Amino acid sequence: MTTPQQVAKGDRLPESSVSITRTDLVRYAGASGDFNPIHHSESFAHEVGLPDVIAHGMLTMALATRLVTDWVGDPGRIVEHGVRFTRPVVVPDDGKGATVELSGKVADVAEDGTAKVNITAKCADQGVLGGAYAVVRL
Amino acid sequence: MPLDEGFIGREYPPSSPYEVGREKIREFADAIKDDSPLYRDTEAAKAAGYQDVIAPPTFAMRLSVLAQEAVVGDEQLGLDYSRVVHGHQAFRHHRPIRAGDVLVAVAHVDDIKARAGNDFLTVRAEIGTVEGEPVCTATSTLVARGTAEEGEQS
């Protein structure tokens, strides 16, 4: 568990790298109830102008959130978090899928015992989330 | 035709009650590859001060989507859901969602604007227990691509 005394502006969170395969997308569809075919049907994805099947934005957001909840040790300490979905995570049907690289940096430590973390999520060296942040109770 | 800005401020009837189950939380945690014991082990959750296992923060989207169904299904608003992409998402958690919660969500239209031919619809879902305890405020911006164009392009 982190404590307020240990956390300072500019601290970097432990980075994480998560692979997402088509099977993971099917599992997330079932768990979340989001069965939009852009997340499982290549032909549908092509019809709407996407290069291939893409990951659920909310799955990427969940991975970004986990970077922070793992760091703070208790997911119940997350107060607020937000992201813009700026670029889709394309998941090819090649057995390897996509890899999302996550990093975070403490942007602010407030007097009320909360910290704001700015999060970066990249896939194939390109950012996939914009303005991603989380506020946690330390 | 752009969406009617007169819908800003509209509140929709609450979603049907959703009971949060332990196994649903576990299934969701597995799907987001998050191995925290607080999602799976009641004793670990109690040791951390919770009454029961808690749900991952983005589990709240489940309730947000239930609330949005009222907006998406409003024929007077006329959102073309087949053109919708998720532009932005934020959550403010008043407390973690936990197993045994029976939740309802109320959708509010916070903003509508048209920009570059796209409609931007911001829907806030106020999620709480059936007893009235606030649990989470979830705000989503839905972008309907190409729906705000006025007739033929010159």
PDB file of all heavy atoms in Angstrom, chain A residues 18-19 23-32 59 62-63 66, chain B residues 22-37 39-40 54-56 59:
ATOM      1  N   VAL A  18       0.200  -5.114 -21.441  1.00  0.00           N
ATOM      2  CA  VAL A  18      -0.873  -6.109 -21.442  1.00  0.00           C
ATOM      3  C   VAL A  18      -1.187  -6.505 -22.881  1.00  0.00           C
ATOM      4  O   VAL A  18      -1.402  -5.642 -23.730  1.00  0.00           O
ATOM      5  CB  VAL A  18      -2.148  -5.543 -20.777  1.00  0.00           C
ATOM      6  CG1 VAL A  18      -3.226  -6.614 -20.688  1.00  0.00           C
ATOM      7  CG2 VAL A  18      -1.852  -4.971 -19.397  1.00  0.00           C
ATOM      8  N   SER A  19      -1.193  -7.808 -23.133  1.00  0.00           N
ATOM      9  CA  SER A  19      -1.556  -8.237 -24.484  1.00  0.00           C
ATOM     10  C   SER A  19      -3.054  -8.528 -24.539  1.00  0.00           C
ATOM     11  O   SER A  19      -3.654  -8.987 -23.572  1.00  0.00           O
ATOM     12  CB  SER A  19      -0.746  -9.467 -24.899  1.00  0.00           C
ATOM     13  OG  SER A  19      -1.225 -10.590 -24.218  1.00  0.00           O
ATOM     14  N   THR A  23      -9.595 -13.627 -28.277  1.00  0.00           N
ATOM     15  CA  THR A  23     -10.273 -14.348 -27.194  1.00  0.00           C
ATOM     16  C   THR A  23     -10.563 -13.399 -26.029  1.00  0.00           C
ATOM     17  O   THR A  23     -11.637 -13.450 -25.422  1.00  0.00           O
ATOM     18  CB  THR A  23      -9.402 -15.526 -26.718  1.00  0.00           C
ATOM     19  OG1 THR A  23      -9.095 -16.340 -27.843  1.00  0.00           O
ATOM     20  CG2 THR A  23     -10.122 -16.367 -25.671  1.00  0.00           C
ATOM     21  N   ASP A  24      -9.602 -12.515 -25.740  1.00  0.00           N
ATOM     22  CA  ASP A  24      -9.821 -11.543 -24.660  1.00  0.00           C
ATOM     23  C   ASP A  24     -11.006 -10.621 -24.974  1.00  0.00           C
ATOM     24  O   ASP A  24     -11.756 -10.241 -24.073  1.00  0.00           O
ATOM     25  CB  ASP A  24      -8.563 -10.688 -24.453  1.00  0.00           C
ATOM     26  CG  ASP A  24      -7.404 -11.504 -23.911  1.00  0.00           C
ATOM     27  OD1 ASP A  24      -7.654 -12.415 -23.097  1.00  0.00           O
ATOM     28  OD2 ASP A  24      -6.249 -11.227 -24.295  1.00  0.00           O
ATOM     29  N   LEU A  25     -11.152 -10.272 -26.252  1.00  0.00           N
ATOM     30  CA  LEU A  25     -12.275  -9.401 -26.638  1.00  0.00           C
ATOM     31  C   LEU A  25     -13.612 -10.118 -26.463  1.00  0.00           C
ATOM     32  O   LEU A  25     -14.591  -9.524 -26.011  1.00  0.00           O
ATOM     33  CB  LEU A  25     -12.124  -8.923 -28.084  1.00  0.00           C
ATOM     34  CG  LEU A  25     -10.895  -8.075 -28.396  1.00  0.00           C
ATOM     35  CD1 LEU A  25     -10.981  -7.528 -29.814  1.00  0.00           C
ATOM     36  CD2 LEU A  25     -10.716  -6.946 -27.402  1.00  0.00           C
ATOM     37  N   VAL A  26     -13.625 -11.393 -26.810  1.00  0.00           N
ATOM     38  CA  VAL A  26     -14.860 -12.173 -26.639  1.00  0.00           C
ATOM     39  C   VAL A  26     -15.205 -12.272 -25.147  1.00  0.00           C
ATOM     40  O   VAL A  26     -16.355 -12.108 -24.735  1.00  0.00           O
ATOM     41  CB  VAL A  26     -14.691 -13.581 -27.253  1.00  0.00           C
ATOM     42  CG1 VAL A  26     -15.898 -14.456 -26.943  1.00  0.00           C
ATOM     43  CG2 VAL A  26     -14.486 -13.480 -28.764  1.00  0.00           C
ATOM     44  N   ARG A  27     -14.165 -12.512 -24.336  1.00  0.00           N
ATOM     45  CA  ARG A  27     -14.382 -12.621 -22.886  1.00  0.00           C
ATOM     46  C   ARG A  27     -14.905 -11.299 -22.328  1.00  0.00           C
ATOM     47  O   ARG A  27     -15.841 -11.271 -21.525  1.00  0.00           O
ATOM     48  CB  ARG A  27     -13.067 -12.996 -22.191  1.00  0.00           C
ATOM     49  CG  ARG A  27     -13.233 -13.254 -20.702  1.00  0.00           C
ATOM     50  CD  ARG A  27     -11.918 -13.653 -20.051  1.00  0.00           C
ATOM     51  NE  ARG A  27     -11.481 -14.971 -20.465  1.00  0.00           N
ATOM     52  CZ  ARG A  27     -10.345 -15.237 -21.118  1.00  0.00           C
ATOM     53  NH1 ARG A  27      -9.514 -14.262 -21.429  1.00  0.00           N
ATOM     54  NH2 ARG A  27     -10.037 -16.458 -21.459  1.00  0.00           N
ATOM     55  N   TYR A  28     -14.324 -10.178 -22.784  1.00  0.00           N
ATOM     56  CA  TYR A  28     -14.772  -8.876 -22.279  1.00  0.00           C
ATOM     57  C   TYR A  28     -16.198  -8.576 -22.757  1.00  0.00           C
ATOM     58  O   TYR A  28     -17.003  -8.014 -22.004  1.00  0.00           O
ATOM     59  CB  TYR A  28     -13.812  -7.744 -22.695  1.00  0.00           C
ATOM     60  CG  TYR A  28     -14.247  -6.437 -22.078  1.00  0.00           C
ATOM     61  CD1 TYR A  28     -13.944  -6.156 -20.737  1.00  0.00           C
ATOM     62  CD2 TYR A  28     -15.034  -5.531 -22.773  1.00  0.00           C
ATOM     63  CE1 TYR A  28     -14.402  -4.994 -20.132  1.00  0.00           C
ATOM     64  CE2 TYR A  28     -15.495  -4.369 -22.185  1.00  0.00           C
ATOM     65  CZ  TYR A  28     -15.168  -4.104 -20.864  1.00  0.00           C
ATOM     66  OH  TYR A  28     -15.632  -2.961 -20.257  1.00  0.00           O
ATOM     67  N   ALA A  29     -16.505  -8.965 -23.994  1.00  0.00           N
ATOM     68  CA  ALA A  29     -17.875  -8.745 -24.507  1.00  0.00           C
ATOM     69  C   ALA A  29     -18.880  -9.440 -23.596  1.00  0.00           C
ATOM     70  O   ALA A  29     -19.885  -8.845 -23.178  1.00  0.00           O
ATOM     71  CB  ALA A  29     -17.994  -9.246 -25.941  1.00  0.00           C
ATOM     72  N   GLY A  30     -18.584 -10.695 -23.250  1.00  0.00           N
ATOM     73  CA  GLY A  30     -19.501 -11.447 -22.393  1.00  0.00           C
ATOM     74  C   GLY A  30     -19.609 -10.854 -21.001  1.00  0.00           C
ATOM     75  O   GLY A  30     -20.701 -10.749 -20.438  1.00  0.00           O
ATOM     76  N   ALA A  31     -18.475 -10.450 -20.453  1.00  0.00           N
ATOM     77  CA  ALA A  31     -18.473  -9.938 -19.080  1.00  0.00           C
ATOM     78  C   ALA A  31     -19.131  -8.564 -18.983  1.00  0.00           C
ATOM     79  O   ALA A  31     -19.756  -8.238 -17.979  1.00  0.00           O
ATOM     80  CB  ALA A  31     -17.040  -9.865 -18.551  1.00  0.00           C
ATOM     81  N   SER A  32     -18.983  -7.763 -20.034  1.00  0.00           N
ATOM     82  CA  SER A  32     -19.480  -6.388 -19.976  1.00  0.00           C
ATOM     83  C   SER A  32     -20.859  -6.231 -20.605  1.00  0.00           C
ATOM     84  O   SER A  32     -21.547  -5.248 -20.349  1.00  0.00           O
ATOM     85  CB  SER A  32     -18.518  -5.456 -20.716  1.00  0.00           C
ATOM     86  OG  SER A  32     -18.555  -5.736 -22.112  1.00  0.00           O
ATOM     87  N   LEU A  59     -12.344  -1.577 -22.256  1.00  0.00           N
ATOM     88  CA  LEU A  59     -11.317  -2.530 -21.820  1.00  0.00           C
ATOM     89  C   LEU A  59      -9.986  -1.796 -21.666  1.00  0.00           C
ATOM     90  O   LEU A  59      -9.277  -1.972 -20.667  1.00  0.00           O
ATOM     91  CB  LEU A  59     -11.211  -3.683 -22.823  1.00  0.00           C
ATOM     92  CG  LEU A  59     -10.089  -4.699 -22.588  1.00  0.00           C
ATOM     93  CD1 LEU A  59     -10.145  -5.302 -21.187  1.00  0.00           C
ATOM     94  CD2 LEU A  59     -10.143  -5.811 -23.643  1.00  0.00           C
ATOM     95  N   ALA A  62     -10.129   0.139 -18.579  1.00  0.00           N
ATOM     96  CA  ALA A  62      -9.976  -0.735 -17.406  1.00  0.00           C
ATOM     97  C   ALA A  62      -8.496  -1.042 -17.155  1.00  0.00           C
ATOM     98  O   ALA A  62      -8.038  -1.047 -16.009  1.00  0.00           O
ATOM     99  CB  ALA A  62     -10.769  -2.024 -17.597  1.00  0.00           C
ATOM    100  N   LEU A  63      -7.731  -1.278 -18.237  1.00  0.00           N
ATOM    101  CA  LEU A  63      -6.300  -1.561 -18.080  1.00  0.00           C
ATOM    102  C   LEU A  63      -5.568  -0.329 -17.548  1.00  0.00           C
ATOM    103  O   LEU A  63      -4.674  -0.440 -16.695  1.00  0.00           O
ATOM    104  CB  LEU A  63      -5.684  -1.984 -19.428  1.00  0.00           C
ATOM    105  CG  LEU A  63      -6.289  -3.216 -20.104  1.00  0.00           C
ATOM    106  CD1 LEU A  63      -5.605  -3.468 -21.442  1.00  0.00           C
ATOM    107  CD2 LEU A  63      -6.199  -4.449 -19.220  1.00  0.00           C
ATOM    108  N   ARG A  66      -6.301   0.000 -13.921  1.00  0.00           N
ATOM    109  CA  ARG A  66      -5.595  -0.997 -13.127  1.00  0.00           C
ATOM    110  C   ARG A  66      -4.154  -0.576 -12.826  1.00  0.00           C
ATOM    111  O   ARG A  66      -3.617  -0.898 -11.768  1.00  0.00           O
ATOM    112  CB  ARG A  66      -5.597  -2.342 -13.868  1.00  0.00           C
ATOM    113  CG  ARG A  66      -5.026  -3.415 -12.999  1.00  0.00           C
ATOM    114  CD  ARG A  66      -4.618  -4.654 -13.716  1.00  0.00           C
ATOM    115  NE  ARG A  66      -3.823  -5.470 -12.808  1.00  0.00           N
ATOM    116  CZ  ARG A  66      -3.323  -6.638 -13.119  1.00  0.00           C
ATOM    117  NH1 ARG A  66      -3.548  -7.149 -14.300  1.00  0.00           N
ATOM    118  NH2 ARG A  66      -2.603  -7.289 -12.247  1.00  0.00           N
TER     119      ARG A  66
ATOM    120  N   ARG B  22     -21.554 -11.729  -6.942  1.00  0.00           N
ATOM    121  CA  ARG B  22     -20.127 -12.014  -6.733  1.00  0.00           C
ATOM    122  C   ARG B  22     -19.467 -12.618  -7.965  1.00  0.00           C
ATOM    123  O   ARG B  22     -18.366 -12.258  -8.344  1.00  0.00           O
ATOM    124  CB  ARG B  22     -19.942 -13.004  -5.594  1.00  0.00           C
ATOM    125  CG  ARG B  22     -19.976 -12.375  -4.251  1.00  0.00           C
ATOM    126  CD  ARG B  22     -19.301 -13.283  -3.218  1.00  0.00           C
ATOM    127  NE  ARG B  22     -19.746 -12.833  -1.915  1.00  0.00           N
ATOM    128  CZ  ARG B  22     -20.732 -13.405  -1.237  1.00  0.00           C
ATOM    129  NH1 ARG B  22     -21.329 -14.485  -1.705  1.00  0.00           N
ATOM    130  NH2 ARG B  22     -21.100 -12.906  -0.087  1.00  0.00           N
ATOM    131  N   GLU B  23     -20.157 -13.582  -8.578  1.00  0.00           N
ATOM    132  CA  GLU B  23     -19.559 -14.250  -9.735  1.00  0.00           C
ATOM    133  C   GLU B  23     -19.484 -13.326 -10.949  1.00  0.00           C
ATOM    134  O   GLU B  23     -18.588 -13.462 -11.778  1.00  0.00           O
ATOM    135  CB  GLU B  23     -20.311 -15.540 -10.071  1.00  0.00           C
ATOM    136  CG  GLU B  23     -20.203 -16.613  -9.005  1.00  0.00           C
ATOM    137  CD  GLU B  23     -18.751 -17.007  -8.667  1.00  0.00           C
ATOM    138  OE1 GLU B  23     -17.873 -16.876  -9.528  1.00  0.00           O
ATOM    139  OE2 GLU B  23     -18.517 -17.421  -7.511  1.00  0.00           O
ATOM    140  N   LYS B  24     -20.419 -12.388 -11.045  1.00  0.00           N
ATOM    141  CA  LYS B  24     -20.349 -11.408 -12.152  1.00  0.00           C
ATOM    142  C   LYS B  24     -19.124 -10.509 -11.955  1.00  0.00           C
ATOM    143  O   LYS B  24     -18.417 -10.193 -12.920  1.00  0.00           O
ATOM    144  CB  LYS B  24     -21.631 -10.580 -12.207  1.00  0.00           C
ATOM    145  CG  LYS B  24     -21.748  -9.747 -13.458  1.00  0.00           C
ATOM    146  CD  LYS B  24     -21.940 -10.613 -14.702  1.00  0.00           C
ATOM    147  CE  LYS B  24     -21.517  -9.886 -15.954  1.00  0.00           C
ATOM    148  NZ  LYS B  24     -21.667 -10.738 -17.145  1.00  0.00           N
ATOM    149  N   ILE B  25     -18.867 -10.126 -10.722  1.00  0.00           N
ATOM    150  CA  ILE B  25     -17.676  -9.311 -10.437  1.00  0.00           C
ATOM    151  C   ILE B  25     -16.415 -10.087 -10.795  1.00  0.00           C
ATOM    152  O   ILE B  25     -15.504  -9.568 -11.441  1.00  0.00           O
ATOM    153  CB  ILE B  25     -17.655  -8.885  -8.955  1.00  0.00           C
ATOM    154  CG1 ILE B  25     -18.759  -7.857  -8.676  1.00  0.00           C
ATOM    155  CG2 ILE B  25     -16.284  -8.319  -8.573  1.00  0.00           C
ATOM    156  CD1 ILE B  25     -18.870  -7.440  -7.217  1.00  0.00           C
ATOM    157  N   ARG B  26     -16.360 -11.344 -10.388  1.00  0.00           N
ATOM    158  CA  ARG B  26     -15.184 -12.177 -10.681  1.00  0.00           C
ATOM    159  C   ARG B  26     -14.978 -12.311 -12.202  1.00  0.00           C
ATOM    160  O   ARG B  26     -13.866 -12.183 -12.710  1.00  0.00           O
ATOM    161  CB  ARG B  26     -15.357 -13.567 -10.061  1.00  0.00           C
ATOM    162  CG  ARG B  26     -14.176 -14.513 -10.308  1.00  0.00           C
ATOM    163  CD  ARG B  26     -14.587 -15.955 -10.145  1.00  0.00           C
ATOM    164  NE  ARG B  26     -15.150 -16.232  -8.840  1.00  0.00           N
ATOM    165  CZ  ARG B  26     -14.436 -16.654  -7.783  1.00  0.00           C
ATOM    166  NH1 ARG B  26     -13.145 -16.845  -7.894  1.00  0.00           N
ATOM    167  NH2 ARG B  26     -15.023 -16.897  -6.635  1.00  0.00           N
ATOM    168  N   GLU B  27     -16.093 -12.555 -12.911  1.00  0.00           N
ATOM    169  CA  GLU B  27     -16.025 -12.709 -14.365  1.00  0.00           C
ATOM    170  C   GLU B  27     -15.506 -11.419 -15.012  1.00  0.00           C
ATOM    171  O   GLU B  27     -14.672 -11.453 -15.924  1.00  0.00           O
ATOM    172  CB  GLU B  27     -17.442 -13.032 -14.875  1.00  0.00           C
ATOM    173  CG  GLU B  27     -17.540 -13.282 -16.353  1.00  0.00           C
ATOM    174  CD  GLU B  27     -19.007 -13.368 -16.823  1.00  0.00           C
ATOM    175  OE1 GLU B  27     -19.938 -13.265 -15.996  1.00  0.00           O
ATOM    176  OE2 GLU B  27     -19.202 -13.524 -18.035  1.00  0.00           O
ATOM    177  N   PHE B  28     -15.989 -10.284 -14.530  1.00  0.00           N
ATOM    178  CA  PHE B  28     -15.557  -8.994 -15.079  1.00  0.00           C
ATOM    179  C   PHE B  28     -14.083  -8.750 -14.767  1.00  0.00           C
ATOM    180  O   PHE B  28     -13.318  -8.307 -15.634  1.00  0.00           O
ATOM    181  CB  PHE B  28     -16.437  -7.867 -14.515  1.00  0.00           C
ATOM    182  CG  PHE B  28     -16.205  -6.543 -15.185  1.00  0.00           C
ATOM    183  CD1 PHE B  28     -16.874  -6.218 -16.363  1.00  0.00           C
ATOM    184  CD2 PHE B  28     -15.316  -5.614 -14.660  1.00  0.00           C
ATOM    185  CE1 PHE B  28     -16.651  -5.000 -16.992  1.00  0.00           C
ATOM    186  CE2 PHE B  28     -15.087  -4.402 -15.292  1.00  0.00           C
ATOM    187  CZ  PHE B  28     -15.761  -4.089 -16.455  1.00  0.00           C
ATOM    188  N   ALA B  29     -13.673  -9.054 -13.540  1.00  0.00           N
ATOM    189  CA  ALA B  29     -12.264  -8.865 -13.151  1.00  0.00           C
ATOM    190  C   ALA B  29     -11.355  -9.751 -14.003  1.00  0.00           C
ATOM    191  O   ALA B  29     -10.285  -9.317 -14.441  1.00  0.00           O
ATOM    192  CB  ALA B  29     -12.086  -9.167 -11.669  1.00  0.00           C
ATOM    193  N   ASP B  30     -11.783 -11.000 -14.261  1.00  0.00           N
ATOM    194  CA  ASP B  30     -11.017 -11.886 -15.143  1.00  0.00           C
ATOM    195  C   ASP B  30     -10.891 -11.260 -16.539  1.00  0.00           C
ATOM    196  O   ASP B  30      -9.826 -11.300 -17.153  1.00  0.00           O
ATOM    197  CB  ASP B  30     -11.695 -13.258 -15.277  1.00  0.00           C
ATOM    198  CG  ASP B  30     -11.543 -14.123 -14.026  1.00  0.00           C
ATOM    199  OD1 ASP B  30     -10.696 -13.784 -13.172  1.00  0.00           O
ATOM    200  OD2 ASP B  30     -12.281 -15.126 -13.914  1.00  0.00           O
ATOM    201  N   ALA B  31     -11.996 -10.692 -17.021  1.00  0.00           N
ATOM    202  CA  ALA B  31     -12.016 -10.153 -18.388  1.00  0.00           C
ATOM    203  C   ALA B  31     -11.107  -8.938 -18.541  1.00  0.00           C
ATOM    204  O   ALA B  31     -10.620  -8.668 -19.636  1.00  0.00           O
ATOM    205  CB  ALA B  31     -13.441  -9.799 -18.799  1.00  0.00           C
ATOM    206  N   ILE B  32     -10.883  -8.189 -17.462  1.00  0.00           N
ATOM    207  CA  ILE B  32      -9.974  -7.038 -17.553  1.00  0.00           C
ATOM    208  C   ILE B  32      -8.580  -7.403 -17.024  1.00  0.00           C
ATOM    209  O   ILE B  32      -7.731  -6.533 -16.844  1.00  0.00           O
ATOM    210  CB  ILE B  32     -10.527  -5.782 -16.837  1.00  0.00           C
ATOM    211  CG1 ILE B  32     -10.702  -6.008 -15.333  1.00  0.00           C
ATOM    212  CG2 ILE B  32     -11.846  -5.336 -17.477  1.00  0.00           C
ATOM    213  CD1 ILE B  32     -10.950  -4.719 -14.552  1.00  0.00           C
ATOM    214  N   LYS B  33      -8.373  -8.685 -16.762  1.00  0.00           N
ATOM    215  CA  LYS B  33      -7.058  -9.215 -16.352  1.00  0.00           C
ATOM    216  C   LYS B  33      -6.546  -8.563 -15.070  1.00  0.00           C
ATOM    217  O   LYS B  33      -5.367  -8.249 -14.952  1.00  0.00           O
ATOM    218  CB  LYS B  33      -6.051  -9.010 -17.491  1.00  0.00           C
ATOM    219  CG  LYS B  33      -6.502  -9.635 -18.791  1.00  0.00           C
ATOM    220  CD  LYS B  33      -5.424  -9.516 -19.838  1.00  0.00           C
ATOM    221  CE  LYS B  33      -5.823 -10.263 -21.090  1.00  0.00           C
ATOM    222  NZ  LYS B  33      -4.691 -10.805 -21.797  1.00  0.00           N
ATOM    223  N   ASP B  34      -7.465  -8.362 -14.139  1.00  0.00           N
ATOM    224  CA  ASP B  34      -7.097  -7.721 -12.879  1.00  0.00           C
ATOM    225  C   ASP B  34      -7.243  -8.754 -11.760  1.00  0.00           C
ATOM    226  O   ASP B  34      -8.350  -9.218 -11.483  1.00  0.00           O
ATOM    227  CB  ASP B  34      -8.005  -6.513 -12.631  1.00  0.00           C
ATOM    228  CG  ASP B  34      -7.524  -5.660 -11.471  1.00  0.00           C
ATOM    229  OD1 ASP B  34      -6.872  -6.201 -10.553  1.00  0.00           O
ATOM    230  OD2 ASP B  34      -7.821  -4.460 -11.472  1.00  0.00           O
ATOM    231  N   ASP B  35      -6.117  -9.113 -11.140  1.00  0.00           N
ATOM    232  CA  ASP B  35      -6.129 -10.216 -10.174  1.00  0.00           C
ATOM    233  C   ASP B  35      -6.286  -9.770  -8.716  1.00  0.00           C
ATOM    234  O   ASP B  35      -6.013 -10.549  -7.802  1.00  0.00           O
ATOM    235  CB  ASP B  35      -4.874 -11.081 -10.345  1.00  0.00           C
ATOM    236  CG  ASP B  35      -3.598 -10.261 -10.188  1.00  0.00           C
ATOM    237  OD1 ASP B  35      -3.695  -9.075  -9.785  1.00  0.00           O
ATOM    238  OD2 ASP B  35      -2.511 -10.803 -10.466  1.00  0.00           O
ATOM    239  N   SER B  36      -6.740  -8.549  -8.485  1.00  0.00           N
ATOM    240  CA  SER B  36      -6.887  -8.089  -7.096  1.00  0.00           C
ATOM    241  C   SER B  36      -7.791  -9.031  -6.287  1.00  0.00           C
ATOM    242  O   SER B  36      -8.889  -9.369  -6.729  1.00  0.00           O
ATOM    243  CB  SER B  36      -7.490  -6.682  -7.067  1.00  0.00           C
ATOM    244  OG  SER B  36      -7.806  -6.344  -5.724  1.00  0.00           O
ATOM    245  N   PRO B  37      -7.337  -9.445  -5.099  1.00  0.00           N
ATOM    246  CA  PRO B  37      -8.182 -10.318  -4.268  1.00  0.00           C
ATOM    247  C   PRO B  37      -9.452  -9.625  -3.763  1.00  0.00           C
ATOM    248  O   PRO B  37     -10.417 -10.309  -3.396  1.00  0.00           O
ATOM    249  CB  PRO B  37      -7.265 -10.693  -3.093  1.00  0.00           C
ATOM    250  CG  PRO B  37      -6.163  -9.702  -3.103  1.00  0.00           C
ATOM    251  CD  PRO B  37      -6.022  -9.207  -4.510  1.00  0.00           C
ATOM    252  N   TYR B  39     -11.646  -8.298  -5.390  1.00  0.00           N
ATOM    253  CA  TYR B  39     -12.754  -8.596  -6.305  1.00  0.00           C
ATOM    254  C   TYR B  39     -13.266 -10.029  -6.132  1.00  0.00           C
ATOM    255  O   TYR B  39     -14.299 -10.389  -6.692  1.00  0.00           O
ATOM    256  CB  TYR B  39     -12.307  -8.462  -7.764  1.00  0.00           C
ATOM    257  CG  TYR B  39     -11.738  -7.125  -8.162  1.00  0.00           C
ATOM    258  CD1 TYR B  39     -10.687  -7.052  -9.071  1.00  0.00           C
ATOM    259  CD2 TYR B  39     -12.252  -5.934  -7.649  1.00  0.00           C
ATOM    260  CE1 TYR B  39     -10.169  -5.829  -9.477  1.00  0.00           C
ATOM    261  CE2 TYR B  39     -11.717  -4.709  -8.040  1.00  0.00           C
ATOM    262  CZ  TYR B  39     -10.683  -4.666  -8.950  1.00  0.00           C
ATOM    263  OH  TYR B  39     -10.161  -3.470  -9.344  1.00  0.00           O
ATOM    264  N   ARG B  40     -12.493 -10.858  -5.404  1.00  0.00           N
ATOM    265  CA  ARG B  40     -12.767 -12.299  -5.422  1.00  0.00           C
ATOM    266  C   ARG B  40     -12.926 -12.938  -4.054  1.00  0.00           C
ATOM    267  O   ARG B  40     -13.607 -13.940  -3.918  1.00  0.00           O
ATOM    268  CB  ARG B  40     -11.615 -13.022  -6.142  1.00  0.00           C
ATOM    269  CG  ARG B  40     -11.454 -12.618  -7.568  1.00  0.00           C
ATOM    270  CD  ARG B  40     -10.203 -13.232  -8.162  1.00  0.00           C
ATOM    271  NE  ARG B  40     -10.150 -13.012  -9.605  1.00  0.00           N
ATOM    272  CZ  ARG B  40      -9.691 -11.909 -10.168  1.00  0.00           C
ATOM    273  NH1 ARG B  40      -9.233 -10.930  -9.426  1.00  0.00           N
ATOM    274  NH2 ARG B  40      -9.696 -11.768 -11.483  1.00  0.00           N
ATOM    275  N   ILE B  54     -15.646  -6.086  -3.727  1.00  0.00           N
ATOM    276  CA  ILE B  54     -15.979  -4.883  -4.483  1.00  0.00           C
ATOM    277  C   ILE B  54     -15.775  -5.155  -5.972  1.00  0.00           C
ATOM    278  O   ILE B  54     -15.130  -6.128  -6.350  1.00  0.00           O
ATOM    279  CB  ILE B  54     -15.164  -3.659  -4.009  1.00  0.00           C
ATOM    280  CG1 ILE B  54     -13.650  -3.874  -4.189  1.00  0.00           C
ATOM    281  CG2 ILE B  54     -15.502  -3.329  -2.560  1.00  0.00           C
ATOM    282  CD1 ILE B  54     -12.818  -2.617  -3.932  1.00  0.00           C
ATOM    283  N   ALA B  55     -16.356  -4.286  -6.784  1.00  0.00           N
ATOM    284  CA  ALA B  55     -16.265  -4.431  -8.242  1.00  0.00           C
ATOM    285  C   ALA B  55     -15.168  -3.502  -8.765  1.00  0.00           C
ATOM    286  O   ALA B  55     -14.933  -2.438  -8.194  1.00  0.00           O
ATOM    287  CB  ALA B  55     -17.596  -4.082  -8.894  1.00  0.00           C
ATOM    288  N   PRO B  56     -14.503  -3.884  -9.870  1.00  0.00           N
ATOM    289  CA  PRO B  56     -13.542  -2.964 -10.487  1.00  0.00           C
ATOM    290  C   PRO B  56     -14.216  -1.629 -10.829  1.00  0.00           C
ATOM    291  O   PRO B  56     -15.411  -1.605 -11.163  1.00  0.00           O
ATOM    292  CB  PRO B  56     -13.118  -3.706 -11.762  1.00  0.00           C
ATOM    293  CG  PRO B  56     -13.349  -5.155 -11.464  1.00  0.00           C
ATOM    294  CD  PRO B  56     -14.577  -5.168 -10.595  1.00  0.00           C
ATOM    295  N   PHE B  59     -16.511  -1.315 -13.788  1.00  0.00           N
ATOM    296  CA  PHE B  59     -17.746  -2.118 -13.786  1.00  0.00           C
ATOM    297  C   PHE B  59     -18.968  -1.194 -13.822  1.00  0.00           C
ATOM    298  O   PHE B  59     -20.037  -1.570 -14.323  1.00  0.00           O
ATOM    299  CB  PHE B  59     -17.779  -3.003 -12.542  1.00  0.00           C
ATOM    300  CG  PHE B  59     -18.934  -3.961 -12.487  1.00  0.00           C
ATOM    301  CD1 PHE B  59     -18.871  -5.182 -13.151  1.00  0.00           C
ATOM    302  CD2 PHE B  59     -20.090  -3.662 -11.783  1.00  0.00           C
ATOM    303  CE1 PHE B  59     -19.933  -6.076 -13.112  1.00  0.00           C
ATOM    304  CE2 PHE B  59     -21.165  -4.548 -11.737  1.00  0.00           C
ATOM    305  CZ  PHE B  59     -21.083  -5.763 -12.398  1.00  0.00           C
TER     306      PHE B  59
END
